[in-house]
């Protein structure tokens, strides 16, 4: 059996035949949505980011003006793509308060404060109605709330007084489990289907995909992404891995085919991200696109994009559903983007690849105990939308000094392209970096043409493994097992993405440090497993106050709470930057790509974003770091914010890539926009909050535009 793809015999009997001659035709019979609102995260359940609205179009978009702004007056950043149902807009503030706004004026209708303060990413909510009453299904940390859409009040009949604790039912003591609903669940009939965000170090719960009754909150089905004995894929893990392995979770969100009743679930890597000697095997269903029966959770087919992932190559966003032309026929398809710059396309019903996929060989790991996969899957088409190999000729030429520094530093790295295992004590290049390539914003699809639009980062980062042998206090051991992955062995981090913890005890009180560990924030998950003596030991280490008061190491040294299983740690992953903080490679540093999925060919590719200080020096069109996806409309427009450096919101001609309009936001629009129509007026709205882990100010605002 093909190690990537597996389907039931019934589905195999319906496979779309051999790869047909590719034809540059489009599917003119693909039904378009009739709604003028934006009722689902991503626009529609299909995850296509598409709107049929045409009032704002190529000919008049240059006249677009600000219609309203809502500012929650909070710091912390926003990644939320709001939903619009009727005349109400539903979204989050930066501290995960749920809000409802009048979508025509921006007036606050209600605000729900759960009392659980969090600065974790919250990318959207879900909506369900019985035809009379609507409810908002919103994640706040480890809780899923059901709120009355009219009032914002919790619905007592749902779960436990209006909420479900998602930690329950995963493994062992639920109070020690770390899960947060970063991306919203997806509604199918009377079910809300959810995944969750888990830590990337031990201990972490399994990434079960679960469906709850949207009325009562009771569990209806659960799919084990780390298979239990007797389940498909169990043999791809060590025998007892299901008891201890963690993650392989759906943090990015899902897409749904409502007619077929299939939910498409992309998953991430298993812990530990960069060392897998304790999980030797392919590790199904980590890094997998799962097609599940939405009613029962039964696996219909799957494709694993990375075998035995040791590079943090999660599938980073919901897939997009569309229809493409093959041999004169329309084929319903599902497209999945990746961090490494690949795009995979499958027959939506059967899972058969619509472009050939080749298993290519890669080198073995030299890390003791590690068994890297011999091969990894590579699609023949489309070509990768990011560069794949960092070589000396790609090093920055921004200034002679920057180039000289980059050449000197590059000479110390291992750089072999995709899927070269990370080595010991020598930094290995990962290109594109761990955040993408494509990332959580997701692509957009022109449903009338079969064209997909993908924004991508092009930056390199480096990391190395080293033996984990801390000496001294229990707090130091916990730090190296739980924290050094992001903050480095020396606590220096790589700001602003991973803040420095050097002298953190001088900046924060012990209570503030404890709160951050318990709640997480930004890229940092929560660590509820660290309690009592373990928490005290870590705080004392971070504050530099080890000594007589440090908890006894012998008493708690072997506890699972301190992550004692970690044999190797990361020396500190970091971006490959020049001395002034720009990528140490040649531009583009961020791109926007248009790909015809009928043929697999690129229609256009342009830099996305700029740095004003470089533009002033004559260096324009560099592209920049970008987060949040595009939307596309029947008016021939592609709207996107995303760019961290310039805070701009832009509209492009979707056919040519020509820039037609732009506006500077209060804070960077690191979120996917939405568009809708109320009383004959089309609006485009975007969250303006800045990134939670990038340079520059952050806030909590929504800005809407319309024609005069």
């Amino acid at each position: 059996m093909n190690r990537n793809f597996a389907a039931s015999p019934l589905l195999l009997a319906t496979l779309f035949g051999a790869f047909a001659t590719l034809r540059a035709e489009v599917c003119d019979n693909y039904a378009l949505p009739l709604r003028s609102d934006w009722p689902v995260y991503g626009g529609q359940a299909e995850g296509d980011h598409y709107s049929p609205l045409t009032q704002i179009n190529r000919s008049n978009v240059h006249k677009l003006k600000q219609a309203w702004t809502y500012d929650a007056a909070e710091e912390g950043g926003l990644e939320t793509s709001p939903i619009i149902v009727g005349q109400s807009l539903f979204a989050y503030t930066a501290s995960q308060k749920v809000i409802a706004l009048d979508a025509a004026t921006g007036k606050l209708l209600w605000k729900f404060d759960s009392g659980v303060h969090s600065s974790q990413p919250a990318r959207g909510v879900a909506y369900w109605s019985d035809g009379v009453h609507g409810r908002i299904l919103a994640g706040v940390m480890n809780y899923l709330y059901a709120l009355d859409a009219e009032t914002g009040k919790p619905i007592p009949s749902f779960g436990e007084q209006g909420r479900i604790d998602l930690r329950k039912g995963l493994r062992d003591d639920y109070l020690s489990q770390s899960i947060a609903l970063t991306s919203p669940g997806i509604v199918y009939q009377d079910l809300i289907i959810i995944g969750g965000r888990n830590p990337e170090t031990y201990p972490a719960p399994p990434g079960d995909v679960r469906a709850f009754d949207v009325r009562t909150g009771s569990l209806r089905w659960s799919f084990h992404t780390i298979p239990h004995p007797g389940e498909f894929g169990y043999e791809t893990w060590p025998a007892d891995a299901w008891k201890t392995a963690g993650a392989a979770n759906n943090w990015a969100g899902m897409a749904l085919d409502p007619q077929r009743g299939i939910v498409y679930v992309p998953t991430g890597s298993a812990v530990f991200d960069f060392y897998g000697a304790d999980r030797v095997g392919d590790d199904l269903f980590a890094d997998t696109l799962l097609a599940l029966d939405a009613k029962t959770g039964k696996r219909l087919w799957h494709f694993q994009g990375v075998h035995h992932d040791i590079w943090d190559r999660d599938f980073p966003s919901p897939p997009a559903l569309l229809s493409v032309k093959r041999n004169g026929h329309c084929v319903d398809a599902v497209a999945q983007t990746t961090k490494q710059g690949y795009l995979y396309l499958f027959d939506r019903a059967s899972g058969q690849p619509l472009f050939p996929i080749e298993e290519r060989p890669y080198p073995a790991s030299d890390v003791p105990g590690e068994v890297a996969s011999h091969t990894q899957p590579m699609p023949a088409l489309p070509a990768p939308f990011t560069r794949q190999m960092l070589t000396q000729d790609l090093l920055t030429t921004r200034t002679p000094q920057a180039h000289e520094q980059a050449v000197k530093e590059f000479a110390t790295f291992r750089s072999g392209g995709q899927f070269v295992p990370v080595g010991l004590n020598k930094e290995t290049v990962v290109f594109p970096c761990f955040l993408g390539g494509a990332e959580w914003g997701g692509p957009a699809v022109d449903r009338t043409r079969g064209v997909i639009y993908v924004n991508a980062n092009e930056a390199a980062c480096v990391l190395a493994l080293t033996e984990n042998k801390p000496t001294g206090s229990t707090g130091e051991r916990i730090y190296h097992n739980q924290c050094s992955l992001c903050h480095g062995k020396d606590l220096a981090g790589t700001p602003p993405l991973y803040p420095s913890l050097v002298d953190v005890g001088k900046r924060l009180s012990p209570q503030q440090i404890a709160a951050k560990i318990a709640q997480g924030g930004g890229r940092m998950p929560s660590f509820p497993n660290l309690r009592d003596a373990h928490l005290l030991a870590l705080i004392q280490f971070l504050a530099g106050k080890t000594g007589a008061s440090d908890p006894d190491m012998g008493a708690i040294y072997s506890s699972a709470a301190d992550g004692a299983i970690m044999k190797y740690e990361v020396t500190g992953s970091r971006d490959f930057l020049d001395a002034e903080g720009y990528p140490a490679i040649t531009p583009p540093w961020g791109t926007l790509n248009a790909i015809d999925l009928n043929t697999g060919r690129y229609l256009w590719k342009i830099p996305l974003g700029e740095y004003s200080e470089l533009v002033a020096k004559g260096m324009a069109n560099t592209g920049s770091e970008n987060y949040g996806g595009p939307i596309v409309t029947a008016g021939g427009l592609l709207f996107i914010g995303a760019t961290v450096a310039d805070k701009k919101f832009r509209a492009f001609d979707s056919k040519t890539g020509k820039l037609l309009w732009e506006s500077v936001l209060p804070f960077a629009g690191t979120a996917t926009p939405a568009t809708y129509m109320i009383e004959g007026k089309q609006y485009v709205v975007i969250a303006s909050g800045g990134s939670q882990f990038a340079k520059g100010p952050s806030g909590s605002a929504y800005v809407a535009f319309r024609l005069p």
Side-chain angles (χ1 to χ4, degrees):
M1 178 178 290
N2 186 306
R3 68 193 299 202
N4 298 302
F5 165 72
S8 68
L10 176 62
L11 284 167
L12 289 170
T14 66
L15 290 181
F16 182 77
F19 297 110
T21 301
L22 303 178
R23 302 173 61 184
E25 302 179 49
V26 296
C27 291
D28 56 7
N29 62 348
Y30 189 42
L32 298 178
L34 299 177
R35 299 193 67 148
S36 60
D37 53 7
W38 194 265
V40 181
Y41 180 71
Q44 308 292 328
E46 292 87 350
D48 53 23
H49 296 198
Y50 178 83
S51 170
L53 298 179
T54 60
Q55 184 180 89
I56 304 171
N57 54 56
R58 294 184 184 97
S59 67
N60 60 23
V61 66
H62 65 281
K63 300 178 182 178
L64 214 56
K65 301 294 183 183
Q66 186 171 312
W68 57 260
T69 298
Y70 171 80
D71 191 343
E74 296 180 1
E75 292 185 0
L78 282 176
E79 298 179 357
T80 303
S81 178
I83 64 171
I84 297 90
V85 180
Q87 196 163 326
S88 297
L89 179 150
F90 302 99
Y92 287 101
T93 70
S95 64
Q96 288 197 4
K97 297 178 179 69
V98 187
I99 57 173
L101 306 178
D102 184 313
T105 66
K107 178 184 177 182
L108 180 67
L109 302 177
W110 55 255
K111 180 185 292 186
F112 170 69
D113 184 352
S114 68
V116 180
H117 177 83
S118 172
S119 59
Q120 293 266 0
R123 294 177 180 142
V125 299
Y127 175 83
W128 176 84
S129 174
D130 61 5
V132 179
H133 300 102
R135 58 181 61 185
I136 301 300
L137 298 140
V140 180
M141 288 290 289
N142 52 284
Y143 296 108
L144 175 64
Y145 286 86
L147 308 176
D148 186 302
E150 292 294 323
T151 66
K153 297 183 182 300
I155 299 172
S157 58
F158 180 84
E160 299 172 287
Q161 295 301 306
R163 71 183 190 185
I164 302 168
D165 191 335
L166 298 176
R167 298 174 298 178
K168 294 184 176 180
L170 290 175
R171 178 186 288 159
D172 304 328
D173 175 16
Y174 80 93
L175 293 174
S176 295
Q177 307 308 319
S178 176
I179 181 172
L181 202 57
T182 300
S183 299
I186 198 159
V187 171
Y188 174 70
Q189 296 181 356
D190 62 348
L191 298 176
I192 175 72
I193 307 170
I194 61 101
R197 178 189 186 191
N198 299 146
E200 300 183 10
T201 57
Y202 286 101
D208 293 354
V209 182
R210 293 178 287 177
F212 295 93
D213 188 299
V214 77
R215 293 183 176 87
T216 67
S218 60
L219 181 67
R220 296 271 287 273
W221 59 256
S222 181
F223 180 88
H224 300 136
T225 60
I226 302 175
H228 291 198
E231 295 177 343
F232 187 98
Y234 174 73
E235 71 284 353
T236 68
W237 297 77
D240 290 330
W242 64 281
K243 298 179 181 178
T244 57
N249 53 311
N250 169 257
W251 59 265
M254 311 171 192
L256 174 73
D257 183 331
Q259 286 71 41
R260 290 182 174 87
I262 302 176
V263 61
Y264 300 91
V265 184
T267 65
S269 57
V271 297
F272 170 53
D273 275 353
F274 304 109
Y275 180 71
D278 61 317
R279 51 177 173 86
V280 170
D282 278 0
D283 304 327
L284 284 176
F285 293 95
D287 303 280
T288 297
L289 178 60
L290 282 161
L292 304 179
D293 184 315
K295 186 174 292 185
T296 66
K298 178 183 177 182
R299 182 189 62 88
L300 300 176
W301 59 263
H302 75 271
F303 168 80
Q304 188 176 47
V306 183
H307 315 309
H308 189 75
D309 186 4
I310 48 176
W311 304 273
D312 190 24
R313 287 312 201 195
D314 308 348
F315 278 136
S317 70
L321 308 189
L322 71 159
S323 192
V324 296
K325 204 79 168 182
R326 286 293 187 280
N327 200 27
H329 299 283
C330 282
V331 179
D332 287 346
V334 53
Q336 179 67 61
T337 58
T338 68
K339 286 184 179 181
Q340 59 265 35
Y342 302 163
L343 190 148
Y344 294 104
L345 188 70
F346 305 95
D347 182 297
R348 197 187 307 175
S350 67
Q352 180 71 14
L354 294 180
F355 296 115
I357 297 174
E358 176 190 0
E359 284 284 339
R360 294 191 177 181
Y362 290 93
S365 173
D366 62 2
V367 179
E370 183 61 271
V371 183
S373 175
H374 300 301
T375 64
Q376 298 290 352
M378 173 75 176
L381 288 171
F385 48 82
T386 58
R387 292 169 285 183
Q388 297 289 293
M389 170 86 78
L390 184 60
T391 55
Q392 185 166 319
D393 63 321
L394 292 182
L395 299 182
T396 181
T397 56
R398 191 179 61 80
T399 67
Q401 295 80 8
H403 179 72
E404 182 181 359
Q405 174 200 337
V407 170
K408 183 177 180 180
E409 196 169 359
F410 181 72
T412 68
F413 300 155
R414 299 166 68 241
S415 183
Q418 293 289 345
F419 302 124
V420 171
V422 177
L424 279 179
N425 303 315
K426 184 170 183 175
E427 290 180 313
T428 300
V429 173
V430 180
F431 182 53
C433 195
F434 310 118
L435 298 181
E439 34 73 26
W440 51 263
V445 170
D446 185 335
R447 294 175 63 149
T448 65
R449 301 167 58 222
V451 176
I452 194 167
Y453 302 90
V454 184
N455 59 302
N457 287 309
E458 289 222 22
C461 52
V462 294
L463 81 160
L465 289 171
T466 188
E467 188 175 355
N468 183 8
K469 48 182 181 181
T471 59
S473 70
T474 298
E476 181 180 355
R477 177 179 180 86
I478 294 173
Y479 174 84
H480 283 275
N481 290 338
Q482 304 277 269
C483 313
S484 65
L485 171 63
C486 297
H487 298 286
K489 293 185 67 174
D490 57 3
L491 286 77
T494 53
L497 183 60
Y498 302 117
S500 170
L501 298 181
V502 175
D503 293 329
V504 68
K506 297 179 181 178
R507 302 191 301 273
L508 301 176
S509 69
Q511 292 78 14
Q512 290 173 317
I513 296 174
K516 178 62 71 174
I517 293 170
Q519 297 172 359
R523 290 277 296 167
M524 177 182 168
S526 62
F527 291 89
N529 59 296
L530 296 175
R531 290 179 285 173
D532 304 326
H534 292 93
L535 179 60
L536 177 60
L538 178 58
I539 292 172
Q540 289 178 337
F541 171 74
L542 293 173
K545 296 179 180 179
T546 55
S549 63
D550 189 46
D552 177 57
M553 189 172 187
I556 61 174
Y557 181 86
S558 62
S559 168
D562 68 1
I565 198 169
M566 298 282 289
K567 295 178 65 176
Y568 293 90
E569 64 177 319
V570 172
T571 55
S573 62
R574 62 185 181 91
D575 292 341
F576 181 32
L577 304 174
D578 67 23
E580 295 182 59
Y582 299 106
I585 63 171
T586 55
W589 301 326
T591 63
L592 184 59
N593 305 267
I595 308 170
D596 185 341
L597 290 182
N598 301 287
T599 65
R601 307 299 181 188
Y602 283 73
L603 300 178
W604 49 263
K605 182 186 188 84
I606 59 173
L608 177 65
E610 61 189 13
Y611 294 80
S612 59
E613 66 275 16
L614 295 183
V615 172
K617 297 177 181 179
M619 192 174 179
N621 298 317
T622 58
S624 75
E625 185 179 15
N626 58 92
Y627 302 101
I631 63 171
V632 67
T633 75
L637 299 173
L638 181 145
F639 288 98
I640 187 168
T643 51
V644 170
D646 58 28
K647 302 190 296 183
K648 289 185 177 181
F649 186 33
R650 296 174 168 92
F652 296 93
D653 185 315
S654 61
K655 284 191 176 180
T656 67
K658 180 182 178 181
L659 178 65
L660 300 178
W661 170 86
E662 64 183 17
S663 180
V664 178
L665 298 169
F667 310 99
T670 51
T672 303
T675 187
Y676 56 94
M677 181 170 279
I678 294 176
E679 297 178 350
K681 288 283 188 179
Q682 183 182 353
Y683 297 77
V684 183
V685 65
I686 188 167
S688 171
S691 174
Q692 299 186 58
F693 46 87
K695 296 177 181 177
S698 64
S700 185
Y702 291 87
V703 184
F705 299 85
R706 72 179 182 199
L707 296 173

